Amino acid sequence: EAMAVLRTLDGEWLRRYPDPFAREFCSAVSEALDVPPDWVIVGNGSDDVLNVLIRACAEGHDRAVVYPMPTYVLYRTLAAMQPATVVEIPYLPNFELPIADLVAAQGAVTFIASPNSPSGHSVSLDDLRELARRVMGVLAIDEAYADFAEFSALPLVREFENVIVLRTMSKGYSLAGLRLGFGVANPALLAGLFKVKDSYNIDAIATAVGAAAMRDQAYMKACAEKVKASRAKLSVDLKNLGFAVRDSQANFVLATPPDGEAERLYLGLKERGILVRYFKQAGLSDKLRISVGTNEQNQTLLEALISLLQ
Ligand SMILES: *Cc1c(COP(=O)(O)O)cnc(C)c1O
């Protein structure tokens, strides 16, 4: 449906400025996710919404940007650009959420990626509720991978006036090049974000194409199901090669190779033109984050791993 809109685009309406609120897209989100259209803020990718959040809440050094580690690296980058003070709290063993320490950091904004990258775990709704109740600032739940997960924190935006849930068209909708993401929160919270959003952050093409993709929920869900099936198979196949594989709610798995040889395997795969993610940092240096590919791509990966492990 997105491609059909792109092919039949009327060049005439590119003469005019786009709608600053991308309302056509908001109404598609409203229908798909059952939220009011004026509870949606649209960004040039969800990275744009993250940036707007940090600028609105935490510019300067009085109050911090807070998040558990390891997580999405851009929170740190965007905070450094303001600059804003950052407080990073390590996850507890087995990716338990360090709620007390997150609360004690008194963030102007606290980010929780759920499902998280690179671990792939989802934070429970009970933990998110407790955090929402106790944090003094905004709680931003970054659901970039929600389309591959078993549950979503979206209902929390109606329960808590300080909660915003972020989504993207880049992962589940396969539209990373379009640059379209959005946040869902009550209009009072959004009003503060609209003050610092660029007026025309969403172009007319992204609004129209994104709206078509959002309305085409059946196609997105069918694709996400394929990813989930490949994820399950890839996890089993990796375990059969001796990897420890965390249960994942995202479109990648975090896997620990047999002899902790993550870096050697990463380099060997790279030499063969297979790109996986290796993080040379505490707690991750013995692991690889592997995106779920097509069954054929996964097979190519497995064969390369078998030869590298021999
Ligand atoms: C990919 C990703 C984003 C950014 O998505 P865009 O909409 O492409 O900017 C944000 N958060 C997390 C956790 C991601 O993995």
Side-chain angles (χ1 to χ4, degrees), residues 45-47 50 72 75 113 142 144-145 168 170-171 179-181:
S46 63
D47 286 350
L50 293 171
Y72 187 46
Y75 308 142
D142 184 348
Y145 301 102
T168 177
S170 296
K171 315 275 162 71
R179 305 312 299 139
L180 201 61

Side-chain angles (χ1 to χ4, degrees), residues 89-105:
I89 314 270
Y91 261 105
L92 300 172
N94 210 22
F95 288 99
E96 288 295 317
L97 195 66
I99 295 178
D101 287 345
L102 289 167
V103 171

Side-chain angles (χ1 to χ4, degrees), residues 49-298:
V49 185
L50 293 171
N51 197 24
V52 164
L53 265 165
I54 290 176
R55 288 169 66 200
C57 298
E59 185 178 352
H61 291 292
D62 296 341
R63 291 173 61 204
V65 173
V66 179
Y67 47 86
M69 281 286 279
T71 191
Y72 187 46
V73 291
L74 206 77
Y75 308 142
R76 178 191 287 168
T77 308
L78 292 173
M81 278 161 57
Q82 290 315 310
T85 301
V86 158
V87 180
E88 299 178 339
I89 314 270
Y91 261 105
L92 300 172
N94 210 22
F95 288 99
E96 288 295 317
L97 195 66
I99 295 178
D101 287 345
L102 289 167
V103 171
Q106 302 198 333
V109 56
T110 303
F111 288 106
I112 304 291
S114 179
N116 187 47
S117 174
S119 59
H121 82 284
S122 283
V123 177
S124 75
L125 293 187
D126 285 347
D127 281 358
L128 290 172
R129 280 201 179 89
E130 185 179 347
L131 196 59
R133 215 168 12 245
R134 291 173 60 187
V135 288
M136 64 179 285
V138 170
L139 175 61
I141 304 170
D142 184 348
E143 291 199 327
Y145 301 102
D147 302 311
F148 310 106
E150 268 152 36
F151 63 88
S152 161
L154 202 54
L156 271 57
V157 300
R158 293 183 199 262
E159 293 173 39
F160 298 95
E161 60 184 10
N162 63 334
V163 169
I164 182 167
V165 168
L166 307 178
R167 294 283 186 92
T168 177
M169 304 302 282
S170 296
K171 315 275 162 71
Y173 296 79
S174 303
L175 291 171
L178 194 66
R179 305 312 299 139
L180 201 61
F182 57 98
V184 181
N186 67 82
L189 194 161
L190 293 191
L193 302 183
F194 285 132
K195 287 181 192 169
V196 300
K197 180 183 90 61
D198 284 351
S199 304
Y200 300 117
N201 61 332
I202 314 300
D203 66 74
I205 298 172
T207 302
V209 174
M214 182 52 66
R215 286 190 215 106
D216 197 357
Q217 286 292 302
Y219 181 71
M220 184 279 286
K221 285 181 177 150
C223 292
E225 285 307 320
K226 285 187 197 166
V227 172
K228 287 194 263 182
S230 288
R231 178 179 73 196
K233 180 168 188 317
L234 178 64
S235 300
V236 170
D237 290 345
L238 287 169
K239 283 177 189 169
N240 286 340
L241 291 184
F243 284 70
V245 185
R246 282 195 63 85
D247 280 343
S248 171
Q249 294 285 301
N251 61 346
F252 54 78
V253 295
L254 188 66
T256 310
D259 299 312
E261 294 191 291
E263 189 168 21
R264 184 179 74 81
L265 292 179
Y266 158 71
L267 292 170
L269 289 172
K270 196 171 169 183
E271 226 164 64
R272 289 163 163 77
I274 300 172
L275 301 179
V276 301
R277 201 72 193 270
Y278 176 66
F279 302 88
K280 210 170 193 161
Q281 58 173 263
L284 296 174
S285 60
D286 61 340
K287 297 176 171 53
L288 298 173
R289 192 192 74 177
I290 303 174
S291 288
V292 175
T294 60
N295 286 330
E296 192 188 1
Q297 289 169 332
N298 293 345

